[in-house]
């Protein structure tokens, strides 16, 4: 029977009340008395020398308080990168400066050149149009391979080339992999593109800077997934503000998908300008600005080779990837195609030898960083596509080829330096096949053919690594921050609880699921637990929310803090009940003496903690509040199997997804309804990448898909009703909740399922088509059909 409360219950999301009634408090809702507004003048060319920026006319226009240029930031640090990658030769990556406002050159369309602060938005925008900018055009570098050619124009003149790093992993395996591929019974090769995407969260980015002259304190209100990290990066490395003099607040945030992890120039500018002008300064991005200033995602070009022996066992895997960094290094950009991608190339399979090479390249495009899944979707897509191609070349069942090569014994140390603690990939595949009604496929195929349509079935598996950890290991790999999480649990005198977390919620339902965990541990009603997040002034230092880490890492910190609370409360209860602490049990909000009917309620114990009349203070200090930091021992490894059925119109190339099923292993599940919603959202984004979305530049570096007129987002009629299941649970062995991440799974597992299904439909029609690059738009599919 489903639970009606606590861990395992589908408790309704309490935060939805304010969201659905229009009473949420987003950053754009924050308006401070006397605030001014900023408008950024952005480059309309991709690459050029700034020869002149004349702000005199703008400075004299109505309402203008000040016009800022790059010269105003000459003594200010640039935006820092949070991860340093060492290349396969042992050399650190090339790391160019990233100024708040452009100085000397512009390097992508949207690069901010100047900023006008005025009394109103309209005055700031009008004045920005009066700024006269002279730019000497330089050749734009857009294609990654061309960017590495001899004589290519350099994006950064002070670097030796446009190569950020040439990373190899595991370098010691390289010769063995080459030899295994050379001597293999069969080698399947596939070249593919993982298309560039724009995150497009519902809420655009916003920043409000404020300065208190009396105290010297600065405050930034911002749309961030990790306010403590923003405070650290901006305070210490950009503006030189001590952390105790800088407060960062991220209130309700309307989605992020990775794009709100990073520290952006607009945040630093508003904080800087507020102090310079002694006025609050506000910026709200337009959707057009978002397309050319929010970090983009994906953008890999890969060649992958899979070697098999005569019995169809995988023997080796080799990949060569070009990863686009854009014009500057975004906060975590270097880690995405390396440690979050290369380490997942084993997938669900026991391939003994793997070598991954990644060349990260600077181009005159918007910086690229994590987007939902962050490296894991790129790894899964290339691996699952090449396995499907291999099965077709060998004439074997793609499902059985996967089963034959599944990892079946755990823990399992992969050849790419991670260790899977638990999993059951056959179980998720069995569940998937039960869901998709495989026996009825032929009838559905015949019905499609009768209606003049082609039908195909695509199946694939995925595994991902969530809650990247531990801090000491990732520090050795180049991380410039810890990756722990924190929680403070404060119990009030009457038994209510406030949990303050370093994690951040921007759609995940933390206020509900975190409360479920705490309430379940104590045995009280969930309504007695409140969750606070997003304000560095009243939450412990934490790393925020990304990489499906919140429950596995942040939730574990809450568990540890609550365990401390219960331990102290048990001592108080022992005094109240005149019993040994060892005999005190806690169940359903009651402390009792084992083997007796003596008990005391949770609320009585918490009151005694603050009114300590009944126990000696020399043994226990008053109060009931504890803090814990949790640094995981390992990643968590959710995994699953996905299936997609499509119909293809041979006359137009249009693909329609008829069915989609997802069987996931997320370990223990706290709130099944929230998990299902997270999977649904991820599936929609993965389907969007597979069929619709594509961020494109022309050869001059002009963004061709700069609005929703040209960038196709998935709509309700583009996605089917999903079948999702998470009943195959192998709990994580190294966190106290036994949970794994779930937020990115759908976006990781769905793109290869869609592409596999389309290729299957075309091959069933007798066409010699082995691959089509995403997105599989009608024009791309029709063109492939006409040529195949």
């Amino acid at each position: 029977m489903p639970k009606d409360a606590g861990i395992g219950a589908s408790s309704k999301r309490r935060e939805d009340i304010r969201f659905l009634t229009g009473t949420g408090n987003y950053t754009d809702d924050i308006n401070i008395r006397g605030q001014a507004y900023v408008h950024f003048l952005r480059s309309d060319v991709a690459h050029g020398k700034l020869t002149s920026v004349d702000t005199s006319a703008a400075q004299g226009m109505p309402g203008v308080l000040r016009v800022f240029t790059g010269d105003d930031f000459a003594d200010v640090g640039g935006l820092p990168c949070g991860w340093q990658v060492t290349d396969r030769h042992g050399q650190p990556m090339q790391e160019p400066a990233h100024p708040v406002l452009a100085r000397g050159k512009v390097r992508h369309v949207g690069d901010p050149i100047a900023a006008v602060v005025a009394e109103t938005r309209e005055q700031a925008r009008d004045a920005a149009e009066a700024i006269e900018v002279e730019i000497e055009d330089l050749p734009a570098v857009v294609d990654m391979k061309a960017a590495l050619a001899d004589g290519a124009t350099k994006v950064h003149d002070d670097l030796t080339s446009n190569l950020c790093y040439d990373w190899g992993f595991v370098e010691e395996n390289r010769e063995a992999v080459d030899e295994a591929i050379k001597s293999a019974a069969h080698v399947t090769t596939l070249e593919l593109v993982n298309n560039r995407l724009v995150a497009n969260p519902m809420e655009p980015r916003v920043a409000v800077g404020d300065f208190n002259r009396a105290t010297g304190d600065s405050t930034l209100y911002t749309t961030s997934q990790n306010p403590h990290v923003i405070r650290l990066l901006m305070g210490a490395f950009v503006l030189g503000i001590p952390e105790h003099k800088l407060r960062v607040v991220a209130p309700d945030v309307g989605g992020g998908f990775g794009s709100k992890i990073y520290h952006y120039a607009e945040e630093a500018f508003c904080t800087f300008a507020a102090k310079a002008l002694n006025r609050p300064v506000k910026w709200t991005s337009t959707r057009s600005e978002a397309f050319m200033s929010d970090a983009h995602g994906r953008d890999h070009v890969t060649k992958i080779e899979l070697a098999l022996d005569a019995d169809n066992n995988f023997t080796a895997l080799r990949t060569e990837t070009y990863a686009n960094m854009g014009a500057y290094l975004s906060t975590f950009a270097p880690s995405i195609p390396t440690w979050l991608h290369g380490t997942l190339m084993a997938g669900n399979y026991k391939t003994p030898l793997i070598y991954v090479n990644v060349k990260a390249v600077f181009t005159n495009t918007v910086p690229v960083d994590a987007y939902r899944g962050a490296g894991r979707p790129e790894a899964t897509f290339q691996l699952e596509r090449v396995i499907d191609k291999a099965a077709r070349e060998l004439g074997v069942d793609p499902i059985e080829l996967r089963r034959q090569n599944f990892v079946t014994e755990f823990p399992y140390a992969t050849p790419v330096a991670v260790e899977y603690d638990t999993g059951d990939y056959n179980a998720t595949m069995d569940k998937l096949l039960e869901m998709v009604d495989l026996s009825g496929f032929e009838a559905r195929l015949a019905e499609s053919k009768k209606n003049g349509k082609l039908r195909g079935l695509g199946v694939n598996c995925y595994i991902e690594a969530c809650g990247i950890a531990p801090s000491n290991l990732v520090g050795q790999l180049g991380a410039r921050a810890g990756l722990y999480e924190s929680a403070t649990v404060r119990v009030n005198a009457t038994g209510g609880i406030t949990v303050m977390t370093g994690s951040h919620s921007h759609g995940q339902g933390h206020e509900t699921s975190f409360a479920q965990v705490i309430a379940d541990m104590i045995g009280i009603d969930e309504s007695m637990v409140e969750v606070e997040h997003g304000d560095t002034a009243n939450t412990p230092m934490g790393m925020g929310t990304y990489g499906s880490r919140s429950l596995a890492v942040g939730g574990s910190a809450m568990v540890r803090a609550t365990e401390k609370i219960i331990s102290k409360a048990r001592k108080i209860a022992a005094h109240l009940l005149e019993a040994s602490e060892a005999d005190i049990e806690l169940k359903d909000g009651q402390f009792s003496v084992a083997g007796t009917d003596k008990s005391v309620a949770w609320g009585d114990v918490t009151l005694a903690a603050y009114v300590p009349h009944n126990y000696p203070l020399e043994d226990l200090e008053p109060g009931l509040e504890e803090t814990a930091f949790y640094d995981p021992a390992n990643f968590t490894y959710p995994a699953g199997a996905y299936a997609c059925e499509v119909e293809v119109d041979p006359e137009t190339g249009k693909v329609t997804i008829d069915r989609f099923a997802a069987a996931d292993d997320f370990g223990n599940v706290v709130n099944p309804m929230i998990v299902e919603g997270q999977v649904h959202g991820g599936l929609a984004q993965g389907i969007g990448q597979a069929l619709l979305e594509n961020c494109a530049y022309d050869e001059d570096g002009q963004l061709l898909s700069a609005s929703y007129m040209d960038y196709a987002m998935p709509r309700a009629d583009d996605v089917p009703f999903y079948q999702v299941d998470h009943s195959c649970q192998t709990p994580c062995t190294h966190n106290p909740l036994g949970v794994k991440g779930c937020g990115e799974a759908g976006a990781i597992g769905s793109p290869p399922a869609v592409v596999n299904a389309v290729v299957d439909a075309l091959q069933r029609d007798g066409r010699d088509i082995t691959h089509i690059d995403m997105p599989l738009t009608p024009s791309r599919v029709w063109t492939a059909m006409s040529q195949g």
Side-chain angles (χ1 to χ4, degrees), residues 87-90 166-177 354-357 415:
D87 73 12
R88 63 190 185 91
H89 306 293
D166 181 0
W167 183 79
F169 192 72
V170 174
E171 194 64 29
E172 292 77 10
N173 289 351
R174 187 171 193 162
E175 290 186 6
V177 170
I354 298 174
Y355 180 74
V356 180
N357 176 241

Side-chain angles (χ1 to χ4, degrees), residues 411-645:
Y412 174 76
T414 76
V416 279
V418 295
E419 183 174 280
Y420 305 158
D421 60 332
T422 60
D424 189 340
Y425 309 144
N426 277 302
T428 51
M429 181 63 80
D430 290 343
K431 173 56 69 173
L432 178 75
L433 297 181
E434 175 187 320
M435 296 163 67
V436 299
D437 181 24
L438 197 59
S439 62
F441 177 76
E442 291 300 325
R444 297 191 294 274
L445 177 67
E447 183 66 21
S448 294
K449 186 175 182 179
K450 178 181 173 183
N451 295 325
K453 303 290 177 65
L454 312 180
R455 179 175 283 265
L457 171 66
V459 174
N460 65 270
C461 301
Y462 80 90
I463 188 169
E464 63 164 322
C466 302
I468 181 171
S471 293
N472 64 339
L473 173 61
V474 297
Q476 296 172 39
L477 302 181
R480 291 166 170 166
L483 290 169
Y484 55 84
E485 199 45 81
S486 61
T488 296
V489 176
R490 177 181 298 158
V491 183
N492 303 312
T494 53
I497 297 174
T498 301
V499 180
M500 291 151 282
T501 173
S503 299
H504 186 277
S505 180
H506 37 278
Q508 294 89 347
H510 290 177
E511 294 171 38
T512 301
S513 55
F514 288 168
Q516 287 179 252
V517 171
I518 306 303
D520 192 87
M521 290 180 70
I522 298 170
I524 58 177
D525 193 90
E526 294 166 19
S527 64
M528 294 180 67
V529 183
E530 290 292 327
V531 178
E532 294 184 359
H533 61 89
D535 187 343
T536 62
N538 62 19
T539 57
M541 175 72 176
M543 294 296 105
T545 291
Y546 46 84
S548 302
R549 72 191 302 270
S550 295
L551 195 58
V553 188
S556 293
M558 292 177 198
V559 169
R560 294 294 184 236
T562 304
E563 287 172 344
K564 295 180 183 180
I565 291 287
I566 293 171
S567 177
K568 183 175 180 180
R570 183 178 282 112
K571 290 181 174 67
I572 297 171
H575 282 287
L576 297 178
L577 293 169
E578 298 179 333
S580 168
E581 181 187 341
D583 293 331
I584 299 298
E585 298 175 343
L586 172 61
K587 183 179 180 181
D588 297 332
Q590 294 280 330
F591 289 95
S592 60
V593 180
T596 76
D597 59 359
K598 295 174 62 178
S599 66
V600 61
W602 167 256
D604 294 329
V605 172
T606 61
L607 182 62
Y610 290 93
V611 186
H613 294 165
N614 296 308
Y615 60 87
L617 293 180
E618 61 268 21
D619 293 339
L620 285 171
E621 62 185 30
L624 205 51
E625 179 173 327
E626 299 288 350
T627 296
F629 288 78
Y630 180 78
D631 200 342
N634 191 1
F635 295 91
T636 69
Y637 298 99
Y642 286 9
C644 176
E645 273 190 45

